[in-house]
Amino acid sequence: MAPSSKLHIAMFPWLAFGHMIPYLELAKLIAQKDHKVSFISTPRNIDHLPRLHPNLVPLITFVRLPLPWVDGLPENAEATSDVPYDTVQYLKKAYDGLKELITRFLETSDPDWLLYDFVPCWLPEIATRLGISNAFFSIFLGSTLSFAKPHSAIDDRKKPEDFTVPPKWVSFPTKVTFRLYEILRVFDFVTGNTSDVSDMDRLQEVIRSCEMVVVRSCMEFEPEWLQLLEDIHGKPFIPVGMLPTTEYDNDEQTDTWRSIKQWLDKQEKRSVVYVAFGSEAKPSQEELTEIALGLELSGLPFFWVLRMRRGLADTEVLELPDGFEERTKGRGVVVCISWAPQLKILAHDSVGGFLTHSGWSSVVEALQHERALILLTFLADQGFNARLLEEKNMGYPIPRNEFDGYFSRDSVAESLRLVMVKEEGKIYREKAKEIKVCSEIGKNKTSSWTIFWVTCKAIDVKQNPKKV
């Protein structure tokens, strides 16, 4: 095996920035080993990705595939953040329409490896037919993947209530599961939608058909879940680390950060609550009102990055309570922008806690800077992430009604004060430091080992094609 051999690795993430950004982080690590990466997405999404460091530009090529138009999908919508939740099904249908284009690209570019997301369940078969080594790269944690049915198991989960307990193939006690209000919001992931294939079926088919699964996780954080997955699926589940987000600064972002920093510089160390719910999670108007009034009642300084709508097609535009900004002026800031320098905000010494939707990229960004977590879930895998963090005492969930998810301004205020200043919340402030160590291990050791392992396997297969 020639250790100097260089590879060409193609990547095809789902059209959500919570997926594309981790894929890009893995692409950067691969490129740092001098391998070539073809990062495949749609034109508008590629234009909105963070800039690469000049040293990586020659090694990472962005492949632009035009997204087919489908009835029901708004014009220029190419990412989940561009559309309301109930329109994402049409985005999946359009994404499936890329099948012919990506097949043509794979036939002509001859990559050594293909890494794909859970949505293109038709892609493993194409890669195998073309003789391309391939893997499902999951941005979901192992604990989340464990809810997908193993191929040999019988799955009798039919009702939302069936997903509020761990599946029967999980062999150890755990709190990691949906709450009823969480599964009710996204139950179409089981029942299916206009895209003709349910998310659960897509996930299960991709796991069944791929050669191996690469997981955005590390053994130091969830060893029991990663081992369980290998046992029940009978194939490798390889952790590549937490993949904390990295950014290469550009001039367009400088002015935005400068104005934010001026306000943060005036606050006391670790006193500010940073509030942000990612590019997809959108509270209802009632939830937004309770969050705002809870921040007001807490008496704590806060910096809130608020998205009022999900794309131009979203007609339900949120509004802050009357007089809220005037009453909290000086103590709190609300900015309604599509992009915020989250890494820089979380790294600032004045920030002590993060009120978050529990999206894993945001969680990792917060914990690498030792910020305590207050958890408020909305969609997708956020509930699983929150349960796992709660189980490990790494995050405090705002108390909610188990059936409809209702929470009050009082519970928001009390949760913020508990985690930020009270003695009984000290455990959350201390635990944040522990996962920082895990994040560094995942970034520096596990990822390097995994890339080496994948690289060696790919070279071996390429040099010995009879093994395919």
Side-chain angles (χ1 to χ4, degrees):
M1 182 180 297
S4 61
S5 299
K6 300 304 178 186
L7 301 173
H8 175 201
I9 299 169
M11 293 184 163
F12 189 47
W14 165 231
L15 306 178
F17 283 94
H19 292 241
M20 289 182 277
I21 297 298
Y23 268 72
L24 186 59
E25 290 302 326
L26 184 57
K28 292 175 187 177
L29 289 173
I30 292 171
Q32 287 169 14
K33 305 290 184 181
D34 292 328
H35 302 298
K36 290 177 56 180
V37 177
S38 291
F39 191 101
I40 309 164
S41 192
T42 62
R44 284 171 59 85
N45 287 328
I46 288 172
D47 288 342
H48 286 92
L49 288 171
R51 288 178 58 190
L52 295 174
H53 190 282
N55 292 343
L56 299 179
V57 170
L59 291 164
I60 300 178
T61 300
F62 291 104
V63 180
R64 299 166 182 262
L65 300 184
L67 190 69
W69 180 85
V70 298
D71 189 21
L73 187 66
E75 186 179 2
N76 294 325
E78 295 186 10
T80 54
S81 55
D82 294 333
V83 294
Y85 175 76
D86 59 2
T87 307
V88 172
Q89 57 184 309
Y90 302 108
L91 194 63
K92 288 192 176 78
K93 193 170 184 178
Y95 186 79
D96 288 338
L98 292 171
K99 181 176 181 179
E100 183 178 343
L101 286 177
I102 193 169
T103 300
R104 194 180 309 154
F105 169 79
L106 295 174
E107 289 172 338
T108 57
S109 61
D110 191 28
D112 301 289
W113 268 90
L114 173 63
L115 303 182
Y116 43 77
D117 219 321
F118 81 99
V119 178
C121 53
W122 34 265
L123 197 46
E125 184 275 330
I126 293 172
T128 300
R129 175 169 54 82
L130 295 175
I132 301 170
S133 298
N134 62 92
F136 164 37
F137 172 33
S138 170
I139 63 96
F140 305 121
L141 288 167
S143 49
T144 299
L145 292 177
S146 298
F147 263 65
K149 179 187 77 69
H151 183 58
S152 59
I154 297 174
D155 192 359
D156 52 8
R157 298 173 297 178
K158 305 297 181 185
K159 307 185 300 295
E161 292 80 4
D162 297 334
F163 292 84
T164 61
V165 295
K168 56 191 176 185
W169 47 83
V170 174
S171 55
F172 46 82
T174 180
K175 296 178 182 177
V176 178
T177 185
F178 278 116
R179 298 285 186 259
L180 184 59
Y181 61 84
E182 291 169 338
I183 184 62
L184 287 173
R185 289 186 178 191
V186 296
F187 196 52
D188 64 323
F189 97 98
V190 175
T191 59
N193 49 48
T194 303
S195 74
D196 299 327
V197 185
S198 74
D199 286 355
M200 182 63 87
D201 285 342
R202 289 178 188 270
L203 178 62
Q204 291 172 170
E205 176 60 22
V206 162
I207 294 176
R208 185 191 71 79
S209 303
C210 68
E211 290 184 23
M212 67 177 187
V213 182
V214 178
V215 189
R216 186 193 187 187
S217 186
C218 63
M219 288 299 293
E220 296 79 11
F221 184 66
E222 51 168 3
E224 69 279 22
W225 292 103
L226 294 169
Q227 185 59 57
L228 171 71
L229 288 166
E230 290 206 347
D231 292 344
I232 63 178
H233 290 288
K235 63 180 60 180
F237 278 71
I238 309 298
V240 290
M242 296 298 189
L243 300 178
T245 308
T246 59
E247 288 185 338
Y248 177 66
D249 284 337
N250 62 61
D251 295 337
E252 295 175 4
Q253 301 171 357
T254 301
D255 291 341
T256 302
W257 168 239
R258 185 181 294 115
S259 62
I260 293 172
K261 185 176 184 298
Q262 286 175 352
W263 185 84
L264 291 173
D265 286 344
K266 298 174 184 177
Q267 313 307 313
E268 294 182 9
K269 187 175 181 179
R270 292 188 175 269
S271 66
V272 175
V273 179
Y274 174 55
V275 185
F277 302 122
S279 60
E280 293 186 41
K282 179 191 172 187
S284 67
Q285 182 59 60
E286 180 184 19
E287 290 170 336
L288 178 79
T289 298
E290 296 304 312
I291 293 167
L293 296 179
L295 286 165
E296 183 178 347
L297 283 172
S298 73
L300 297 167
F302 62 87
F303 190 92
W304 187 358
V305 177
L306 175 60
R307 295 193 76 213
M308 294 293 196
R309 63 199 299 188
R310 281 183 57 160
L312 297 177
D314 187 355
T315 58
E316 298 180 3
V317 182
L318 300 174
E319 296 181 357
L320 290 165
D322 288 342
F324 168 76
E325 289 182 275
E326 289 76 13
R327 294 192 302 271
T328 58
K329 188 175 182 180
R331 176 168 66 85
V333 174
V334 181
V335 292
C336 301
I337 52 180
S338 59
W339 174 89
Q342 181 160 288
L343 282 174
K344 289 185 173 66
I345 294 171
L346 288 168
H348 197 280
D349 286 343
S350 69
V351 175
F354 185 14
L355 175 53
T356 174
H357 60 307
S358 307
W360 200 245
S361 290
S362 290
V363 168
V364 173
E365 288 172 7
L367 293 177
Q368 71 182 111
H369 295 295
E370 302 181 7
R371 306 307 179 214
L373 297 172
I374 306 96
L375 312 174
L376 189 63
T377 64
F378 294 98
L379 285 174
D381 61 326
Q382 296 161 15
F384 293 117
N385 297 340
R387 296 305 99 68
L388 190 61
L389 291 166
E390 180 185 0
E391 196 170 76
K392 295 176 179 290
N393 289 321
M394 290 179 171
Y396 181 80
I398 291 177
R400 305 173 75 164
N401 182 289
E402 289 287 318
F403 298 99
D404 62 11
Y406 173 79
F407 58 89
S408 70
R409 63 199 69 175
D410 293 320
S411 63
V412 172
E414 180 57 28
S415 299
L416 292 172
R417 287 194 294 261
L418 184 148
V419 173
M420 292 289 291
V421 298
K422 289 191 173 182
E423 181 62 27
E424 55 263 47
K426 185 177 180 180
I427 186 173
Y428 302 104
R429 301 191 290 274
E430 293 297 321
K431 281 285 185 177
K433 299 174 184 178
E434 293 184 19
I435 198 173
K436 179 183 179 182
V437 175
C438 177
S439 179
E440 291 302 312
I441 291 173
K443 178 181 178 183
N444 297 326
K445 296 182 181 177
T446 311
S447 290
S448 298
W449 179 86
T450 302
I451 293 169
F452 177 75
W453 188 92
V454 171
T455 299
C456 289
K457 185 175 188 295
I459 294 173
D460 189 44
V461 169
K462 189 172 184 181
Q463 294 181 350
N464 300 280
K466 293 182 180 180
K467 289 186 178 182
V468 177

